[in-house]
Amino acid sequence: MPAPKTPSKTASSDTDAKLVRELADILNDTSLTEIEVERSGLKIRVSRTVTAGTTVQPMHFAAPPAVAVPAAAAAAPLAAVAQPMSSDPAGPAPEVGETVPSPMVGTVYLQATPGADPFVKPGDNVKKGQTLLIIEAMKTMNPIAAPRDGKVLSILVGDAQPVEFGEALLVLE
């Protein structure tokens, strides 16, 4: 009877190299300067050096304790988020004003808790520093503040919608 096969170091190192490349891509797509991941006892940290003249705002994230996720929950499909449709076949008219971009990849929430009033609605006047919405990233809730005083013209994202770095979240007049 042949001996059972053990995983080769090449397969493991290929997976590790792929993970490092994925983490490097995340650094390139965000304003982060360092990212660390731990999986099955393997800890990988990828960082980059910021050159002179580049401004990077420090971002602090609290690392949550490791939690086992049941396989059924991990395999569950994400719920689709309905997007408002324009009746104009050419698409919606561009908004006049300043868009507030997402500073990170994550999931946007328009209110503090499910069923609560939203932080802001179209037509609301906001003050600089006022919370507009929250983006959950790496199990940390990050409030997104108004960059200046203004009036909310429109909200461009839906509640619990995944967002990308730089994606427009809302428009301020």
Side-chain angles (χ1 to χ4, degrees), residues 17-169:
K18 182 179 177 187
L19 179 57
V20 170
R21 283 187 196 97
E22 289 173 4
L23 294 173
D25 288 342
I26 291 171
L27 285 181
N28 288 333
D29 294 342
T30 65
S31 62
L32 297 175
T33 57
E34 180 176 276
I35 190 167
E36 183 176 327
V37 173
E38 187 170 353
R39 286 187 186 166
S40 305
L42 172 68
K43 192 176 197 177
I44 298 176
R45 177 182 298 180
V46 178
S47 63
R48 66 177 165 168
T49 304
V50 179
T51 58
T54 304
T55 304
V56 175
Q57 299 279 336
M59 298 175 75
H60 303 282
F61 296 98
V67 178
V69 178
L78 295 174
V81 177
Q83 295 293 324
M85 298 291 290
S86 171
S87 59
D88 180 7
E95 293 285 348
V96 176
E98 174 187 358
T99 60
V100 176
S102 175
M104 65 190 72
V105 174
T107 303
V108 69
Y109 294 102
L110 303 178
Q111 65 270 345
T113 59
D117 289 335
F119 290 107
V120 295
K121 298 181 288 294
D124 286 355
N125 288 315
V126 295
K127 298 285 183 190
K128 180 178 181 177
Q130 178 180 340
T131 299
L132 301 171
L133 46 84
I134 293 175
I135 296 180
E136 178 187 6
M138 298 173 60
K139 298 188 182 192
T140 301
M141 298 298 179
N142 301 283
I144 306 305
R148 61 177 177 78
D149 292 355
K151 181 178 181 179
V152 177
L153 292 178
S154 64
I155 299 174
L156 306 174
V157 293
D159 192 47
Q161 174 182 331
V163 293
E164 296 291 327
F165 173 76
E167 183 175 338
L169 300 172

